[in-house]
Amino acid sequence: QVQLVESGGGSVQAGGSLRLSCSSSWTLPSKCMAWFRQAPGKEREGVAAIYTGDSSTNYADSVKGRFTISEDNAKNTVYLQMNSLKPEDTAVYYCAAGRSWLVAGTVCGSPSPNVIEYWGKGSLVTVSS
């Protein structure tokens, strides 16, 4: 049973930073790891993804330039560094994993829930104005 365990959520004022961590028990060497978020009343959306085969990354336009996804292969852990946070970033953030997919020539591009095999339980991020 693959487990994804998130940590690092919390509350912060607008303009602040948080880092989320996701520890994975899935030892498949080349896979897509992603972060999704879901705000109240909204659909779950992919915000960032990383292909562990070559560490290539991609981001949703709403977070590009502010969020950074990275990995530590030795620890089998993925991170999401979130800077310049805005109130609209408030959501439950989910770590997710799937076998690699290709969207418009980008490995792990535009992550959507239908390509995800494993989910973490979620971590709440609240950004106050």
Side-chain angles (χ1 to χ4, degrees):
Q1 180 76 12
V2 171
Q3 289 189 321
L4 304 178
V5 180
E6 302 109 335
S7 60
S11 298
V12 66
Q13 289 192 325
S17 299
L18 283 173
R19 188 177 82 156
L20 301 177
S21 300
C22 172
S23 176
S24 169
S25 66
W26 197 10
T27 57
L28 184 69
S30 296
K31 58 186 176 287
C32 293
M33 298 293 298
W35 288 95
F36 285 73
R37 67 185 180 186
Q38 189 166 20
K42 294 190 176 181
E43 292 187 353
R44 192 170 296 190
E45 63 167 343
V47 297
I50 187 167
Y51 174 54
T52 63
D54 63 8
S55 299
S56 56
T57 60
N58 66 92
Y59 300 90
D61 288 343
S62 57
V63 305
K64 203 171 292 184
R66 300 188 297 122
F67 290 12
T68 302
I69 188 171
S70 61
E71 59 173 343
D72 183 333
N73 284 332
K75 296 182 179 179
N76 218 18
T77 298
V78 174
Y79 304 96
L80 186 68
Q81 178 67 42
M82 304 182 290
N83 298 330
S84 302
L85 282 160
K86 305 175 182 179
E88 51 264 43
D89 294 318
T90 295
V92 176
Y93 284 71
Y94 296 91
C95 179
R99 299 177 195 274
S100 58
W101 63 82
L102 193 67
V103 173
T106 299
V107 179
C108 309
S110 303
S112 63
N114 64 320
V115 296
I116 298 302
E117 295 188 46
Y118 303 105
W119 294 96
K121 292 184 178 181
S123 184
L124 178 63
V125 171
T126 303
V127 184
S128 58
S129 57

